[in-house]
């Protein structure tokens, strides 16, 4: 066996060991026709480091949603991550903070939302899914 092959296999094994076994929700974009934009005064701080608690035994359908900063009145407030039970047929769109590309520079925030898998073909509230319930022990 060549040294190159052995090195390649070793790197591949190490890379695979670094993967996460945390169950995450199906994710996707905010549909452009439903997306809510909020004008904000400044960007959020860097995300807080969270230690993900162990998944709840006997509830394999629960998924982890990372914590995020949400714009509340005139400041960003941290919302910690949590295990949730997503509604079937729905996906999660994480929060977005972005500068507008039109006219004067403005910073906009879009809060996280849960959308139906077919949200791109729907208008308004029909595209939204209910906020999933928290998984509890």
């Amino acid at each position: 066996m060549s040294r190159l092959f052995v090195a390649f296999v070793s790197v591949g094994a190490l890379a695979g060991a670094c993967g996460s076994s945390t169950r995450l929700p199906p994710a996707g974009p905010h549909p452009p026709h439903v997306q809510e934009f909020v004008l904000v005064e400044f960007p959020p701080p860097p995300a807080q480091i969270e230690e993900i608690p162990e998944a709840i035994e006997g509830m394999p359908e629960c998924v982890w949603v990372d914590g995020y900063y949400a714009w509340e009145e005139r400041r960003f407030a941290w919302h910690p991550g949590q295990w949730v039970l997503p509604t079937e047929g729905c996906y999660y769109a994480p929060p977005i903070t972005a500068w507008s590309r039109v006219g004067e520079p403005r910073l906009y925030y879009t809060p996280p939302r849960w959308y139906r898998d077919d949200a791109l073909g729907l208008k308004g509230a029909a595209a939204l899914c209910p906020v999933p319930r928290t998984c509890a022990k």
Side-chain angles (χ1 to χ4, degrees):
M1 215 181 302
S2 77
R3 285 186 183 161
L4 181 58
F5 177 75
V6 172
F8 180 75
V9 170
S10 298
V11 169
L14 287 173
C18 294
S20 171
S21 62
T22 303
R23 296 183 305 270
L24 302 174
H30 291 270
H33 61 283
V34 182
Q35 191 171 358
E36 174 187 333
F37 298 98
V38 179
L39 183 62
V40 296
E41 299 171 19
F42 47 86
Q48 294 185 22
I49 296 172
E50 295 185 294
E51 186 172 320
I52 300 173
E54 285 190 37
I56 299 163
E57 273 189 55
M59 296 190 74
E61 61 278 1
C62 292
V63 296
W64 177 258
V65 176
D66 285 333
Y68 63 94
Y69 279 101
W71 184 256
E72 296 178 3
E73 297 184 27
R74 296 182 51 94
R75 67 180 184 87
F76 279 101
W78 179 253
H79 292 254
Q82 60 183 339
W83 289 99
V84 299
L85 182 61
T87 303
E88 192 166 328
C90 296
Y91 71 88
Y92 178 72
I96 298 171
T97 307
W99 289 98
S100 81
R101 297 183 197 177
V102 181
E104 232 178 277
R106 291 192 172 112
L107 187 62
Y108 289 95
Y109 169 78
T110 300
R113 293 276 188 262
W114 288 85
Y115 296 103
R116 289 177 37 164
D117 287 340
D118 59 354
L120 291 176
L122 301 173
K123 300 270 186 210
L128 295 173
C129 284
V131 174
R133 67 174 203 208
T134 302
C135 293
K137 291 184 179 185

